[in-house]
Amino acid sequence: MKTIFSKILPFIAIVLMVVSCGDDELTTSERLTNAAENYAAIVVASYDDSYEEAETLRDMINDFVDAPTSAKFDACKAQWLKARTPYGQTEIYRFYGGPIDNETDGPEGLINAWPMDEGFIDYIESDPSSGLINDADTYPEITKDVLTNLNESISEASIFTGYHAIEFLLWGQDFSTNGPGTRPWTDYLTDGNGTASNQDRRGQYLKTVADLLLDHLNQVRNQWGSSGAFQQQFLAQSKDDILTDIFTSLGELSKGELSGERMFVAVDSKDQENEHSCFADNTIDDIVQNFNGIVNVYTGSYTRTDGSTVSGESYSAIASDLDAEKADAVTNAITEARTKINAIPSPFDQAILNNGPTVIEAVTALEDLSDRFADVEVVLKAN
């Protein structure tokens, strides 16, 4: 006697066959549309994660400044490091005039600009009275407008806002060969036992710059949201224009920005000031997360901070079906670049002094990856 289950098995098989055939019948153009929509979903998720981690950092900073303790200070530093992970993976959404870096009001320079001359913000070893914090006569109030207007207004290194301003205020200058800066938490004590001077202004600055970071991240994520103006504009472009934006970003980050500005310049100059997160010694992780962002976009998958995954149609899968040889070349180049990046010893400020050839090998691997992406872009546009 046949069971109900055995009777429905043929029906299930037919449904699966239809679904499978339906997937196979998608045109390359339709798959590229799906890949673009998946790309947008990954962008939204990673900016949401960046905002949420920065919000936690802001709240912890407020709590610390209001009632400073050593434990709270260490917790703020740990959260800053955690917040860098999702943001580092968003760097791949630059280089085509999107919400992060459009010429009109893109806030990238207010969020992640570097290298910075920390003497514009606070005391440094050579000048205990330097910086806005110690200049109440010129800057009697520390406000969002004051910091925003000053940012990059004096020189490219006059950074007053963003992740790295917060980083400096948490770690201070780094003079160690095997660790980060060691700013004392007592720099924020206002009970008469504080170190340095102007502890109240330092706390106000730290609170203000953390609030600003949230404002600017929110500006970007709102534009990319499902109802955001830029996401709609982006997805309304032609297939080729979307591919141009995405593969320009893949090429520019892997060759120009990451391997060039963030790695080659530092190892060539052997100057710690040219490393990305020089106060916290977080530069190698910055490099890793930037690279992860590249891979996320190409493979169509992003792992969120809560462990869940956003994934869908990918440029890697489409390329593999169209030209397996060129797609394999990208896959191999990704593997090679990851291996070379992972070989760089920490901390980066010592690697650029003592392990230059290792860093250069990673630079070369990233440059090759950029060239392989260009090959795949041609394939995708030809179909």
Side-chain angles (χ1 to χ4, degrees):
M1 178 179 177
K2 293 185 177 180
T3 64
I4 295 177
F5 181 72
S6 65
K7 291 180 179 178
I8 65 173
L9 278 177
F11 174 75
I12 294 174
I14 292 171
V15 170
L16 290 175
M17 185 183 301
V18 171
V19 172
S20 177
C21 291
D23 288 343
D24 290 341
E25 291 172 358
L26 287 178
T27 65
T28 297
S29 180
E30 289 169 331
R31 293 182 69 187
L32 287 172
T33 296
N34 291 342
E37 291 174 351
N38 182 47
Y39 170 84
I42 288 173
V43 175
V44 172
S46 53
Y47 275 130
D48 278 346
D49 283 349
S50 298
Y51 180 88
E52 290 165 7
E53 294 297 339
E55 185 175 39
T56 299
L57 175 62
R58 188 275 312 272
D59 293 345
M60 294 173 72
I61 283 172
N62 287 343
D63 183 47
F64 164 70
V65 172
D66 290 344
T69 68
S70 177
K72 289 179 181 179
F73 193 54
D74 288 344
C76 287
K77 290 191 283 187
Q79 180 58 31
W80 185 91
L81 294 171
K82 186 179 178 184
R84 289 292 289 174
T85 296
Y87 186 77
Q89 295 175 71
T90 71
E91 291 282 78
I92 191 61
Y93 313 137
R94 295 178 52 198
F95 311 110
Y96 53 80
I100 185 66
D101 59 2
N102 72 73
E103 293 182 0
T104 303
D105 62 353
E108 197 280 330
L110 293 161
I111 292 175
N112 197 41
W114 69 283
M116 64 177 285
D117 183 341
E118 59 268 32
F120 283 110
I121 294 178
D122 198 5
Y123 73 86
I124 53 178
E125 185 181 47
S126 61
D127 188 351
S129 62
S130 68
L132 181 153
I133 287 170
N134 299 299
D135 189 3
D137 290 338
T138 305
Y139 305 102
E141 295 184 356
I142 299 175
T143 67
K144 291 181 179 180
D145 285 344
V146 167
L147 300 187
T148 299
N149 291 333
L150 280 172
N151 197 63
E152 295 184 295
S153 66
I154 303 168
S155 71
E156 288 186 355
S158 62
I159 309 302
F160 287 85
T161 69
Y163 284 103
H164 299 298
I166 297 172
E167 179 193 5
F168 172 57
L169 289 170
L170 292 176
W171 275 274
Q173 291 177 290
D174 175 17
F175 299 108
S176 172
T177 60
N178 58 8
T182 57
R183 179 190 289 275
W185 69 274
T186 48
D187 276 4
Y188 293 89
L189 271 178
T190 58
D191 62 359
N193 296 309
T195 46
S197 57
N198 294 302
Q199 298 91 349
D200 56 338
R201 285 174 58 84
R202 187 169 296 107
Q204 182 59 41
Y205 195 117
L206 185 56
K207 280 186 169 184
T208 303
V209 77
D211 276 337
L212 270 175
L213 179 61
L214 273 187
D215 291 347
H216 295 135
L217 287 172
N218 198 42
Q219 174 185 334
V220 175
R221 75 166 185 163
N222 283 344
Q223 283 289 306
W224 265 111
S226 58
S227 59
F230 185 80
Q231 182 180 147
Q232 296 180 34
Q233 171 190 327
F234 178 83
L235 293 176
Q237 296 181 103
S238 69
K239 175 198 72 173
D240 281 359
D241 286 346
I242 291 175
L243 287 170
T244 295
D245 284 351
I246 290 175
F247 277 83
T248 293
S249 185
L250 287 167
E252 286 291 328
L253 181 56
S254 56
K255 179 177 282 189
E257 184 72 15
L258 181 53
S259 66
E261 294 295 327
R262 301 188 182 190
M263 296 173 68
F264 179 79
V265 170
V267 74
D268 184 56
S269 66
K270 299 187 184 303
D271 186 351
Q272 179 179 339
E273 292 296 315
N274 285 322
E275 67 160 320
H276 203 170
S277 297
C278 64
F279 312 114
D281 269 348
N282 195 57
T283 302
I284 289 182
D285 193 63
D286 284 338
I287 292 168
V288 169
Q289 298 310 330
N290 292 168
F291 180 73
N292 286 343
I294 291 170
V295 177
N296 293 345
V297 166
Y298 185 63
T299 62
S301 182
Y302 167 66
T303 300
R304 302 198 61 172
T305 54
D306 65 4
S308 62
T309 301
V310 178
S311 61
E313 181 66 270
S314 68
Y315 296 107
S316 60
I318 300 171
S320 182
D321 288 341
L322 294 175
D323 191 322
E325 182 178 353
K326 287 185 172 58
D328 287 346
V330 172
T331 300
N332 293 337
I334 287 173
T335 299
E336 179 72 2
R338 189 183 297 281
T339 299
K340 298 302 184 183
I341 289 170
N342 289 340
I344 301 172
S346 183
F348 191 73
D349 58 2
Q350 297 307 301
I352 63 177
L353 296 176
N354 305 312
N355 300 92
T358 303
V359 179
I360 292 300
E361 286 182 4
V363 167
T364 301
L366 284 165
E367 291 175 339
D368 179 64
L369 175 59
S370 178
D371 293 340
R372 304 291 74 75
F373 279 137
D375 294 339
V376 164
E377 179 184 3
V378 172
V379 171
L380 295 176
K381 285 184 174 179
N383 289 271

